[in-house]
Amino acid sequence: MNGRVDSGLGQIVIDTDVISTYAGSVAVECFGIVGMAAVSMKDGLVKLLRRDSLRHGISVKITDDNRIRLNFHVIVAYGVNMGTIADNLVNNVKYKVEAFTGLEIEKINIMIEGVRPID
């Protein structure tokens, strides 16, 4: 399902791939986030995604009442408090994605898939 915003002159439809790409670019700018993770269900392996495929570490669902639910699979920096990273990620993504799309975020889930040292 796509997000829909009424503009007064018509309707703006936002694809979930657009939302996930933007949310991924916001997420990797957050302190303590090394990158997005792709989890292979078959092997149980976690892979750090390159910048051009960030949306694969995020799932976006638009609810029936036109609100966004985001699931992030991230790799965090070693030695940084995970609660601080999560709070920073939620606050930044919520503010920027809501401003970008005009839609309200209902829920953000964060799955920490790995820890890496900071380069």
Side-chain angles (χ1 to χ4, degrees):
M1 183 174 190
N2 294 322
R4 300 184 186 282
V5 178
D6 289 319
S7 70
L9 295 175
Q11 197 171 63
I12 301 168
V13 179
I14 305 170
D15 191 78
T16 55
D17 284 347
V18 173
I19 296 170
S20 63
T21 301
Y22 184 74
S25 66
V26 170
V28 295
E29 293 173 357
C30 292
F31 174 74
I33 300 292
V34 174
M36 304 307 294
V39 181
S40 170
M41 296 300 170
K42 182 177 84 174
D43 303 330
L45 297 174
V46 175
K47 182 175 92 172
L48 182 64
L49 294 170
R50 296 188 325 246
R51 283 210 178 260
D52 58 342
S53 57
L54 294 175
R55 67 184 176 89
H56 297 295
I58 302 169
S59 67
V60 177
K61 181 177 187 312
I62 307 294
T63 63
D64 292 335
D65 58 346
N66 208 32
R67 293 168 53 176
I68 303 171
R69 289 184 186 167
L70 296 169
N71 291 324
F72 285 89
H73 296 271
V74 297
I75 297 174
V76 297
Y78 177 80
V80 182
N81 182 292
M82 289 185 195
T84 303
I85 294 171
D87 287 342
N88 187 22
L89 177 65
V90 168
N91 291 332
N92 283 334
V93 167
K94 182 172 174 35
Y95 174 75
K96 290 183 178 179
V97 170
E98 285 181 348
F100 178 69
T101 62
L103 301 172
E104 183 182 348
I105 291 186
E106 179 180 80
K107 184 184 277 192
I108 298 175
N109 296 313
I110 301 170
M111 279 64 77
I112 298 174
E113 303 291 351
V115 177
R116 296 259 169 100
I118 299 173
D119 294 335

